[in-house]
């Protein structure tokens, strides 16, 4: 960086950078600063090149850490940036691109240095780096009452909410969002969740707090707009014959300077290109929003950013609030819904959808009222279908979203009315026509079977079965394949139950007289029987509430009726088996009366007529199956490490940092 720099290899020898980190203090009025922030820089375009840049910056930053207490040059650089930003809004209105460009370059340099500072020192020591000023030998180097760190944080928030998003401001808005993320990246160097600190205090309680709702709204709109970084042709500066400094805007900023530390968006491998992120501002804004929303509450105050996320309303909502809510605002729900539907391939968009459905009642009501729910549900199902390629947290989020949606009976009815044609990503079987409800059942059952053979995660099982249970009373016109898969899952569970039971019996015989016999088998058997019980309740719920709507399920039940024989007298299943016995016996008798060698069509005809004739009072009533998602059921501190794993994957922290990362570098698929 610095004037005339062209590539990473030049940084260590650049005279301007040497002066910045050197032993001599530089006055803020010195022309040096104008030269320093008017640099031409060929931006890295891959994570490998970005790492090279980091490695080039680290030794320079370490020298500055050593010399800054005497020179105060870092604080001077920050004040140069703050001086430029005071007129930034006016510069935007006047199309003063040179002014915006220089402000961007100054902020980019601050970010590069901050990433190293945060790795090398505590928050208190970082705070001191902001306070040092030029001093004579032997005198104190700290300033008076000015808190430059708080000033920078406040300035960045003001910049984000006040400067309009245009081609000429895209890069500096991205830098402002990213620098805030870098400030929070202390979490990347700690195994424990950080619940306090200087930066935390400034953001949660300081001058930034009054802009809470505007910041959350702006970050949401950045996500909604999905603006791609502008091409170089949108900028008016062209290279001069003498290699003038203004060329930096075209060759540095416009060529993708913001991609220096973004590795293509956080999240799953099937999402955004890891080498180049086409939507850097949108994705970085979403990451910052998630970080803010997941900051822990203070001892005496709630997280204001979470408050803002939980209570914002639709712009079309003109009703008055009975009680004034703090940090509330209005946003276009239709635009937000569309963006959420389009971006579910990324972890952070799925986490935002979960957050809004779970915490914002206004947004949840709006989503459930949509008549195009397939636009939202299909991307969620595709995440689950490709479970092998997704990290476990993305899968969890998708399942929890389905569980929240299935808490609503109207949703459970409506998904069976949406007919889909040729679902291209479902490759196990050609589905030329299927209802959204049947497809949902197929994907959830597939997830259960994958979990049984691979991950064996009880929490994942629980969510899958809870979603199926919530839907079961409203099963309508189940696709033949969906009905078969329900019974096939029960067959798989039955087989597993018999295998574990046989192993337990053999173990008991072989260890007679030994005390450490079969606790593990007993536990396995208990879990399997719990799942079998749930599956029987799901089948029973469908038969009791919508038998006449589901001839394919009755057909599948009759075809595999021998599966249920062994559970008829089992003490854990006797009560629930009564209804299944009644249905199987009733329809078996009618089929016998219809004759032998019946075609499939004739069997289905007998079933449909029989469904109308079966007296409802012959089936015993059970309590309605209803499961509600409870956040407390999540593993402790589930979301904070998850969010920071996304931030870490985005490259906000130093790529090769060895500190504390094991908590956050979660599995990637």
């Amino acid at each position: 960086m610095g004037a005339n720099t062209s590539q990473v290899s030049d940084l260590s020898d650049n005279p301007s950078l040497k002066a910045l980190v050197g032993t001599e203090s530089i006055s803020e009025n010195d022309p040096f600063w104008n030269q320093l922030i008017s640099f031409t820089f060929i931006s890295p375009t891959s994570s490998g090149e970005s790492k090279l840049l980091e490695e080039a910056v680290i030794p320079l930053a370490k020298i500055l850490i050593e010399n800054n207490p005497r020179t105060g040059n870092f604080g001077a650089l920050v004040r140069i940036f703050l001086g430029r930003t005071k007129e930034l809004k006016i510069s935007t209105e006047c199309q003063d691109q040179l002014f915006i460009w220089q402000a961007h370059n100054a902020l980019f340099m601050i970010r590069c240095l901050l990433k190293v500072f945060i790795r090398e020192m505590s928050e208190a020591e970082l705070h001191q780096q902001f306070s040092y000023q030029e001093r004579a030998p032997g005198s104190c180097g700290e300033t008076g009452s000015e808190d430059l760190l708080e000033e920078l944080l406040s300035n960045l928030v003001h910049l984000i909410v006040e400067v309009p998003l245009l081609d000429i401001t895209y890069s500096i808005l991205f830098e402002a969002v990213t620098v805030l993320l870098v400030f929070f990246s202390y979490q990347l160097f700690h195994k424990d969740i950080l619940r306090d600190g200087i930066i935390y205090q400034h953001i949660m309680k300081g001058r930034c707090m009054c802009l809470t709702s505007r910041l959350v709204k702006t970050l949401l709109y950045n996500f909604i707009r999905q603006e791609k970084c502008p091409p170089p042709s949108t900028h008016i500066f062209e290279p001069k014959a003498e290699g003038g400094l203004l060329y930096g805007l075209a060759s540095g900023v416009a060529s993708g300077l913001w991609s220096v530390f973004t590795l293509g968006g956080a999240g799953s491998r099937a999402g955004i290109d890891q080498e180049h992120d086409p939507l850097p501002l949108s994705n970085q804004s979403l990451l910052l929003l998630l970080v803010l929303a997941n900051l822990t509450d203070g001892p005496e105050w709630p997280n204001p950013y979470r408050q803002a996320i939980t209570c914002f309303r639709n712009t079309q909502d003109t009703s008055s609030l009975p009680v004034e809510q703090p940090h509330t605002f209005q946003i276009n729900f239709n635009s937000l819904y569309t963006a959420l539907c389009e971006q579910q391939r990324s972890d952070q968009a799925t986490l935002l959808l979960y957050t809004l459905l779970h915490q914002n009642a206004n947004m949840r009501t709006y989503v459930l009222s949509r008549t195009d729910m397939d636009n939202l549900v299909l991307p969620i199902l595709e995440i689950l279908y490709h479970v092998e390629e997704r990290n476990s947290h993305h899968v969890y989020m998708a399942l929890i979203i389905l569980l929240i949606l299935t808490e609503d009976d109207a949703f459970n009815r409506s998904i069976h009315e949406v007919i889909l044609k040729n679902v291209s990503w479902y490759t196990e079987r050609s589905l030329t026509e299927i209802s959204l409800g049947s497809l949902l059942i197929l994907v959830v059952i597939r997830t259960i079977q994958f979990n049984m053979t691979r991950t064996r995660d009880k929490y994942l099982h629980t969510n899958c079965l809870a979603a199926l249970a919530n839907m079961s009373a409203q099963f309508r016109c189940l696709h033949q394949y969906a009905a078969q898969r329900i019974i096939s899952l029960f067959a798989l569970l039955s087989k597993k139950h018999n295998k574990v039971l046989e192993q337990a019996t053999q173990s008991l015989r072989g260890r007679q007289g030994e005390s450490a016999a079969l606790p593990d088998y007993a536990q396995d058997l208990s879990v399997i029987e719990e799942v079998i019980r749930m599956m029987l309740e799901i089948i029973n719920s469908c038969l009791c509430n919508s038998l006449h709507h589901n001839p394919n399920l009755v057909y599948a039940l009759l075809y595999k009726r021998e599966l249920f024989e062994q559970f008829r007298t089992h003490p854990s299943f006797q009560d629930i088996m009564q209804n299944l016995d009644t249905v199987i016996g009733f329809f078996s008798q009618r089929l016998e009366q219809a004759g032998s060698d019946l075609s499939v069509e004739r069997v289905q005809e007998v079933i449909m007529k029989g469904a109308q004739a079966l007296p409802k009072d012959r089936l015993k009533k059970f309590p309605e199956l209803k499961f509600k998602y409870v956040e407390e059921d999540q593993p402790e501190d589930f979301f904070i490490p998850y969010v920071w794993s996304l931030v870490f994957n985005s490259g906000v922290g130093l790529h090769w940092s060895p500190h504390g990362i094991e908590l956050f570098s979660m599995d990637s698929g």
Side-chain angles (χ1 to χ4, degrees), residues 586-614:
F586 176 82
F587 284 97
S588 295
Q589 184 180 16
R590 293 185 74 92
L591 287 172
E592 287 175 8
Q593 293 171 352
S596 59
D597 298 326
L598 301 177
S599 66
V600 173
E601 291 76 15
R602 176 60 180 148
V603 171
Q604 289 176 331
E605 181 185 344
V606 171
I607 289 172
M608 283 188 280
K609 288 182 178 179
Q612 303 296 328
L614 177 64

Side-chain angles (χ1 to χ4, degrees), residues 236-247:
I236 61 174
F237 289 116
E238 297 295 338
K240 308 293 182 182
E242 65 276 16
L245 300 179
L246 298 186
Y247 181 44

Side-chain angles (χ1 to χ4, degrees), residues 116-134:
V116 184
F117 284 12
I118 286 171
R119 174 183 177 271
E120 296 292 326
M121 63 186 72
S122 67
E123 276 192 83
E125 291 169 331
L126 177 68
H127 198 199
Q128 284 185 319
Q129 291 291 334
F130 278 87
S131 64
Y132 293 132
Q133 286 189 324
E134 177 186 4

Side-chain angles (χ1 to χ4, degrees), residues 147-245:
D147 189 336
L148 195 60
L149 173 58
E150 182 177 21
E151 183 70 25
L152 177 59
L153 289 169
S154 176
N155 190 281
L156 291 172
V157 174
H158 274 278
L159 192 160
I160 293 168
V161 302
E162 292 178 355
V163 174
L165 175 54
L166 307 170
D167 281 353
I168 61 172
T169 61
Y170 191 104
S171 57
I172 194 167
L173 287 170
F174 172 80
E175 280 302 325
V177 170
T178 305
V179 171
L180 283 178
L181 272 173
V182 169
F183 270 119
F184 283 117
S185 68
Y186 266 110
Q187 182 64 81
L188 290 171
F189 300 90
H190 293 81
K191 293 182 180 181
D192 297 326
I193 305 301
L194 297 182
R195 306 180 190 278
D196 203 352
I198 298 169
I199 295 165
Y200 174 94
Q201 293 282 345
H202 286 323
I203 291 292
M204 294 279 274
K205 294 175 62 180
R207 291 155 54 186
C208 301
M209 186 175 170
C210 64
L211 295 173
T212 294
S213 59
R214 291 180 64 190
L215 178 59
V216 171
K217 183 176 183 177
T218 301
L219 294 175
L220 276 173
Y221 268 125
N222 286 348
F223 167 70
I224 288 169
R225 291 177 65 173
Q226 298 290 309
E227 292 283 353
K228 295 182 179 179
C229 61
S233 60
T234 61
H235 302 277
I236 61 174
F237 289 116
E238 297 295 338
K240 308 293 182 182
E242 65 276 16
L245 300 179

Side-chain angles (χ1 to χ4, degrees), residues 46 109 112 123 138 140 151 162 203 212 248 295 327 330 349 353 372 440 480 527 534 568 589 609 656:
S46 70
M109 294 182 71
C112 290
E123 276 192 83
C140 178
E151 183 70 25
E162 292 178 355
I203 291 292
T212 294
L295 293 175
H327 311 297
Q330 290 184 295
L353 175 59
D372 59 347
L440 196 159
Q480 179 184 1
V527 170
M534 179 73 87
R568 182 175 296 158
Q589 184 180 16
K609 288 182 178 179
W656 55 274

Side-chain angles (χ1 to χ4, degrees), residues 318-377:
T318 57
S319 61
S320 58
L321 293 172
V323 179
E324 187 61 34
Q325 295 173 307
H327 311 297
T328 189
F329 61 91
Q330 290 184 295
I331 200 167
N332 188 309
F333 276 16
N334 181 60
S335 300
L336 179 55
Y337 178 83
T338 301
L340 287 167
C341 292
E342 293 173 350
Q343 297 300 316
Q344 284 308 303
R345 287 172 298 173
S346 74
D347 287 65
Q348 54 266 40
T350 305
L351 183 52
L352 176 63
L353 175 59
Y354 156 78
T355 302
L356 296 179
L357 287 175
H358 178 52
Q359 299 183 9
N360 190 310
N362 301 319
M363 189 67 192
R364 182 169 61 252
T365 300
Y366 176 83
V367 168
L368 290 169
S369 71
R370 296 283 302 207
T371 57
D372 59 347
M373 280 296 293
D374 52 310
N375 289 336
L376 186 66
V377 175

